[in-house]
Amino acid sequence: MTTTTHLMRQKRFLPLMVTQFFNAFNDNLYRYAVVFFIVWQIYNDERQEALISGLASVLFILPFVFLSALAGQLADTRDKAKIIRIVKLCEIVWASLGALGLYLAWKGIAVHTIAIPLLLFVVLLAAVQSTFLGPIKYAILPQHLKKEEVLPGTGLVEAGTYIAILAGTILAGFLSVEIALVLIIITAFGGYFSATFVPDAPPQSDYEMHYPLLEPYAQNVKNTPLRWLGYPVVAVADQVVMSWKLVRDTMHNREIWFAIVAISFFWTIGAVLFIIFPPLAKNQLLASKEVASLFLVIFSIGIAIGSVSINALLKGKVSARYAPLSVVVMSAFLLGFYLVGKAWTPNATGELLPIQAWILEPLAVPLSLMLLGISTAGGMFVVPLYAFLTTRCEHNAASRTIAANNIVNCVAMVIGSIFAMILSSVGIAVVDQILLAAAMCVISAWLGWKLYRAESEAAEAKLSQRGE
């Protein structure tokens, strides 16, 4: 029996695996069900559709920026299994609110005044839940697994999360809204049920949460009514300060810092592309929401192909050698995607094509291959850079380095999303925004080249030290 098969039969691992799968699945099913329904069923204006798509992305990313540090501290100072159960119980609440919003929108009840604001608010709640669950899904493994089981266990959780994201994205495009809203609630209950079987995982150290900004505030206004208004504000400000310190600590290592910046800029481009896919599919290609779902799946598959390909090229060595070339190739595929998209001839009826009819269009296959090329080259660019974060830092700083990278990534994605929303609001067509993404690849190539130079200089410095 392999270690993987063995783990999937263990009560100390399987409930966590199932809980995380349900969480990733429900997040993506809900978020894309909301975006697809609003874009295809409510609005009929490309500008408004792009704004809604961008706003949903911003709301989903913001909690990771402001609450990641707090989530990490809670995971270190409280029972992780208890946090999981509380968080999954909260999921039932947001899933119910989200289902209510979808029902109201589906029935045309107070669509713009209640339904859409409620749907977007629930996107924010879902992101808050994921922010607090994120640090736990890996940190809990060493407590429940043997040393030799941690690596395969981590791989299973990562693979399960990836499959769940794909499944949620696909179903969001193919299910009707009435089925989606029921499935969202069922999944939330299923996730809470599996969470009740996760074994206890008490904190393993005496580390105490520390809030340098909050402590003097709490003492000064301990007995005043304003405490309940100001306390959360100062607490969030404290987390921002801590996050900045976390990021600042990575800047002394040029390799790590350039890797973080390059990764973040890549996901800025990714944020722009993910926002424009739904309105692009509907308005430029006259395709149904199933086609937009297909685009997102192709993009994810391409990242996976790029990950495997670059590992074969580098033969297991962590290096940014191919980073500049990879992103230049990505830019070329983006230009190709733009040209094919501009050359697309709408069908004679002017109606939105279902996926089975859209695939038969003359330019459908070339467009899909261009998208696959974009994401494959992107995967070849970004995957080796992640390896820098754990191989180029001190062993006792790996978690902080990853946390700093996540914070910078989220900030970059928010900036990219807002930028795409601004472009749409001033009337720039979503198909033309692909040219912006292609131009941004030039900056990514420069960052990749800077990283490779820093890598080479560090290697030369090590050789010189050995020579001495």
Side-chain angles (χ1 to χ4, degrees):
M1 182 185 297
T2 65
T3 303
T4 299
T5 306
H6 171 72
L7 282 176
M8 292 300 293
R9 296 165 59 91
Q10 299 300 310
K11 292 181 179 179
R12 54 195 168 90
F13 176 77
L14 182 59
L16 175 68
M17 176 75 178
V18 173
T19 301
Q20 172 57 22
F21 182 92
F22 280 145
N23 191 78
F25 173 82
N26 222 22
D27 279 354
N28 285 272
L29 173 62
Y30 174 75
R31 181 157 58 109
Y32 285 111
V34 167
V35 171
F36 290 158
F37 183 76
I38 291 176
V39 170
W40 267 266
Q41 302 297 326
I42 296 179
Y43 289 120
N44 194 28
D45 178 80
E46 183 181 277
R47 184 182 304 183
Q48 290 179 314
E49 293 159 4
L51 288 174
I52 285 293
S53 182
L55 185 57
S57 295
V58 170
L59 290 174
F60 195 79
I61 298 167
L62 276 179
F64 292 93
V65 178
F66 293 105
L67 299 176
S68 289
L70 175 61
Q73 289 185 85
L74 283 173
D76 286 336
T77 58
R78 303 291 188 272
D79 188 305
K80 299 175 185 63
K82 185 176 181 180
I83 295 176
I84 291 174
R85 287 189 278 272
I86 293 173
V87 166
K88 296 304 289 183
L89 190 61
C90 292
E91 181 179 345
I92 295 176
V93 177
W94 74 246
S96 301
L97 288 174
L100 174 62
L102 284 171
Y103 178 81
L104 292 175
W106 173 44
K107 290 297 185 179
I109 302 172
V111 174
H112 298 285
T113 56
I114 296 177
I116 292 179
L118 177 60
L119 290 172
L120 293 176
F121 175 65
V122 174
V123 168
L124 180 66
L125 294 182
V128 171
Q129 177 209 351
S130 293
T131 302
F132 282 97
L133 191 62
I136 296 176
K137 66 180 180 182
Y138 296 120
I140 199 173
L141 293 179
Q143 288 185 250
H144 290 165
L145 305 183
K146 299 175 183 177
K147 186 176 180 180
E148 64 274 13
E149 295 174 335
V150 173
L151 183 59
T154 302
L156 280 172
V157 171
E158 191 67 28
T161 302
Y162 189 78
I163 293 171
I165 291 171
L166 279 178
T169 303
I170 293 171
L171 286 178
F174 285 85
L175 292 179
S176 62
V177 65
E178 58 270 31
I179 295 177
L181 66 88
V182 173
L183 184 57
I184 288 164
I185 296 178
I186 292 174
T187 304
F189 275 98
Y192 176 72
F193 178 74
S194 63
T196 60
F197 292 94
V198 176
D200 292 341
Q204 295 180 296
S205 69
D206 296 327
Y207 172 78
E208 293 292 336
M209 295 177 67
H210 181 57
Y211 302 90
L213 293 179
L214 189 60
E215 289 171 359
Y217 171 83
Q219 293 173 2
N220 294 335
V221 295
K222 188 174 182 180
N223 298 313
T224 66
L226 290 175
R227 180 187 178 199
W228 301 110
L229 176 62
Y231 193 95
V233 175
V234 178
V236 171
D238 221 330
Q239 295 305 308
V240 173
V241 171
M242 293 173 64
S243 298
W244 162 246
K245 290 180 178 178
L246 198 63
V247 173
R248 187 185 60 190
D249 289 342
T250 66
M251 294 181 179
H252 68 277
N253 187 316
R254 292 181 70 238
E255 288 181 277
I256 291 176
W257 180 240
F258 276 128
I260 289 176
V261 174
I263 290 170
S264 299
F265 200 82
F266 170 82
W267 287 118
T268 303
I269 301 172
V272 173
L273 293 177
F274 272 73
I275 286 171
I276 67 177
F277 279 159
L280 176 71
K282 178 187 176 184
N283 298 289
Q284 184 68 23
L285 308 179
L286 286 183
S288 64
K289 62 188 178 81
E290 291 85 357
V291 175
S293 183
L294 175 65
F295 279 5
L296 296 172
V297 171
I298 291 174
F299 196 88
S300 299
I301 292 173
I303 293 288
I305 294 173
S307 305
V308 175
S309 302
I310 195 62
N311 186 57
L313 282 174
L314 292 173
K315 299 178 181 179
K317 181 182 178 181
V318 177
S319 174
R321 182 189 315 162
Y322 296 106
L325 178 61
S326 296
V327 79
V328 168
V329 172
M330 179 179 171
S331 179
F333 276 114
L334 277 167
L335 287 173
F337 188 85
Y338 166 78
L339 293 174
V340 176
K342 289 291 283 187
W344 189 275
T345 303
N347 64 84
T349 63
E351 298 178 355
L352 298 180
L353 294 177
I355 190 169
Q356 61 269 26
W358 183 86
I359 292 176
L360 299 178
E361 290 289 305
L363 295 178
V365 172
L367 193 73
S368 300
L369 290 176
M370 289 296 172
L371 181 58
L372 185 65
I374 292 167
S375 53
T376 299
M380 294 179 70
F381 171 77
V382 77
V383 168
L385 307 191
Y386 277 107
F388 270 82
L389 305 181
T390 54
T391 59
R392 296 298 197 272
C393 65
E394 298 295 333
H395 293 299
N396 60 356
S399 296
R400 282 171 288 164
T401 302
I402 293 172
N405 172 71
N406 291 341
I407 292 169
V408 179
N409 287 178
C410 290
V411 171
M413 292 172 71
V414 168
I415 293 172
S417 300
I418 293 174
F419 192 44
M421 292 167 63
I422 292 173
L423 291 177
S424 297
S425 66
V426 298
I428 297 178
V430 291
V431 68
D432 293 327
Q433 293 179 34
I434 298 173
L435 289 177
L436 168 67
M440 292 169 70
C441 287
V442 176
I443 301 176
S444 282
W446 176 73
L447 290 171
W449 175 74
K450 294 283 287 184
L451 173 60
Y452 183 56
R453 279 195 60 186
E455 174 193 344
S456 301
E457 290 170 2
E460 291 173 2
K462 288 182 180 180
L463 288 175
S464 299
Q465 291 175 357
R466 290 174 183 175
E468 292 176 0

